[in-house]
Amino acid sequence: VIQYYASYAEPYIIQKYINNPLLIGGKKFDIRIYVLVTNYSPLTVYLYRNGFARFTHARYDETKINDTEAHLTNVAIQKLSANYDENIGGKWYLDKLKSYLLSKYG
């Protein structure tokens, strides 16, 4: 007789809000890096080198938690900002972000 026991999914944190984020120019950003997992045994992961950072268009203000333009980097939200410039956008490729961070923090 084979008995099956109900299994449960382990909780994982995929995203976590950071109360004291690193800011660039007073603005929040997130980093998008894409990977392709082609195998789990052995683990084989390919990293797409052209990731990017997405910025808010409003300056970060920790006291205004409901100000989505200052807290969320989603393009759909940032396009609604009075500071949004379609030509500039709100994106840096990783090489520019890396250069900035190296020049600022070493």
Side-chain angles (χ1 to χ4, degrees):
V1 175
I2 300 174
Q3 292 183 353
Y4 293 97
Y5 294 97
S7 64
Y8 64 94
E10 294 180 34
Y12 292 95
I13 295 176
I14 297 172
Q15 181 173 321
K16 183 177 180 181
Y17 190 83
I18 299 171
N19 291 326
N20 187 17
L22 174 66
L23 305 176
I24 295 180
K27 299 175 181 178
K28 284 181 64 175
F29 65 97
D30 69 5
I31 299 174
R32 292 294 172 119
I33 299 174
Y34 298 99
V35 298
L36 172 65
V37 178
T38 59
N39 200 343
Y40 291 99
S41 183
L43 182 61
T44 307
V45 180
Y46 294 91
L47 173 68
Y48 183 62
R49 295 182 185 266
N50 289 331
F52 54 90
R54 300 182 310 174
F55 289 84
T56 61
H57 284 78
R59 289 185 160 290
Y60 176 74
D61 183 345
E62 65 184 23
T63 65
K64 297 180 181 175
I65 192 69
N66 292 325
D67 183 358
T68 56
E69 292 177 6
H71 290 273
L72 302 176
T73 59
N74 307 55
V75 175
I77 292 170
Q78 293 305 312
K79 283 184 177 181
L80 303 175
S81 173
N83 301 326
Y84 185 77
D85 183 339
E86 187 175 295
N87 296 320
I88 297 172
K91 190 185 295 186
W92 282 4
Y93 287 103
L94 288 183
D95 57 346
K96 182 175 182 178
L97 178 65
K98 181 180 176 182
S99 294
Y100 172 83
L101 293 173
L102 284 171
S103 69
K104 178 104 175 159
Y105 301 104

